[in-house]
Amino acid sequence: MKRTTLSTSLLNIILVFVESALTLLLRLDPELRKAAYPLAKQGTVVALRLYLPHVEIFATFSTKGVLLDAQLPIDRSEPDVVINAYSIQVINAITTHDSETTEKLQMRGESVQVQLVKQFIMQLGLGSLIQGLIKKIKGGKGKSKPTDAEMAEKKDGYKLRIKEQQTQISTLTTKNRELETTVKELQSKQKTLIIVTIMALVIMIGSVIALLMN
């Protein structure tokens, strides 16, 4: 009895941690929010039945995020989608974002909702978020330089215009360097966040497996 209680408590703690990680990912990744929106709109409940060890987790999609629990919500008699898989299969599907790996997961439920769940699993990552942020930061850097015709129109102000352009170019060069530094820092932080999130998920699932198999 003590062992069962300890296992349940540990599982609940892990679910809270994973739930917080999912909430963070939903805030950072607009594409992931798009994938979750139709599921949240329908209040979809997904039952994840893992083998080795045997663990059952329920994920409820809502406007607040993805709520995880070890029991089916009290207002539901059965889940909308049931996923039967080994723990390693789920880890591979989440970390690889590969359609073939996701298709290997055994899912039961209404075909439309099953497809939406698959899309959510394949989108569960930050790769697209990094690319989108980089494009936004790099956007609008280009500046057109004055042409020879424009400089020829006002010969009296030729030297003054050259000095003004040199000042602007110097300023733009400095700003471009700052933006490039920001982009590199953002790439590093986002990659680190991906690695930490994946490692946390693997460690947590591994802890449950090790505890329940002892």
Side-chain angles (χ1 to χ4, degrees):
M1 290 296 293
K2 291 184 179 179
R3 183 177 180 179
T4 302
T5 303
L6 178 60
S7 299
T8 302
S9 300
L10 179 60
L11 178 59
N12 288 334
I13 293 174
I14 293 174
L15 291 180
V16 171
F17 186 88
V18 176
E19 184 178 299
S20 300
L22 286 174
T23 300
L24 177 61
L25 292 177
L26 285 169
R27 290 180 179 178
L28 293 175
D29 193 344
E31 294 301 323
L32 184 62
R33 289 199 300 272
K34 290 181 181 179
Y37 176 75
L39 294 170
K41 187 176 181 181
Q42 301 175 35
T44 302
V45 176
V46 178
L48 180 60
R49 295 172 181 170
L50 301 177
Y51 302 107
L52 293 180
H54 178 72
V55 178
E56 190 170 29
I57 301 170
F58 296 93
T60 303
F61 289 81
S62 70
T63 55
K64 297 180 180 179
V66 182
L67 308 178
L68 302 179
D69 201 338
Q71 297 180 347
L72 184 68
I74 57 176
D75 59 339
R76 298 295 298 271
S77 59
E78 61 181 12
D80 299 296
V81 177
V82 178
I83 302 176
N84 295 289
Y86 289 96
S87 301
I88 190 64
Q89 289 179 301
V90 176
I91 295 174
N92 287 337
I94 293 175
T95 56
T96 61
H97 316 296
D98 180 61
S99 58
E100 293 184 3
T101 305
T102 304
E103 288 294 337
K104 291 180 181 179
L105 299 177
Q106 296 182 10
M107 296 190 186
R108 298 199 320 268
E110 198 272 325
S111 59
V112 175
Q113 289 189 321
V114 168
Q115 189 59 35
L116 290 174
V117 172
K118 289 180 179 179
Q119 292 176 0
F120 177 80
I121 293 175
M122 287 187 290
Q123 188 59 45
L124 194 58
L126 295 176
S128 59
L129 173 63
I130 297 174
Q131 295 177 357
L133 290 175
I134 292 174
K135 289 180 180 179
K136 289 181 180 180
I137 293 176
K138 287 186 174 181
K141 281 188 178 181
K143 296 290 183 179
S144 59
K145 296 182 179 180
T147 63
D148 293 336
E150 292 174 341
M151 292 187 292
E153 288 178 359
K154 296 183 179 180
K155 293 182 180 180
D156 295 338
Y158 183 83
K159 293 182 179 180
L160 179 60
R161 285 179 178 272
I162 290 296
K163 290 180 180 180
E164 291 176 350
Q165 292 299 327
Q166 288 177 339
T167 301
Q168 291 178 4
I169 290 173
S170 177
T171 301
L172 287 174
T173 300
T174 302
K175 290 183 178 179
N176 283 342
R177 289 176 180 174
E178 293 175 352
L179 286 174
E180 288 174 356
T181 301
T182 302
V183 169
K184 291 180 180 179
E185 291 177 351
L186 180 60
Q187 287 178 318
S188 177
K189 290 180 180 179
Q190 295 298 334
K191 289 180 181 178
T192 301
L193 179 59
I194 294 175
I195 295 173
V196 171
T197 302
I198 292 175
M199 290 181 62
L201 290 174
V202 172
I203 292 173
M204 288 183 293
I205 293 176
S207 299
V208 175
I209 293 175
L211 181 62
L212 297 181
M213 292 183 66
N214 290 333

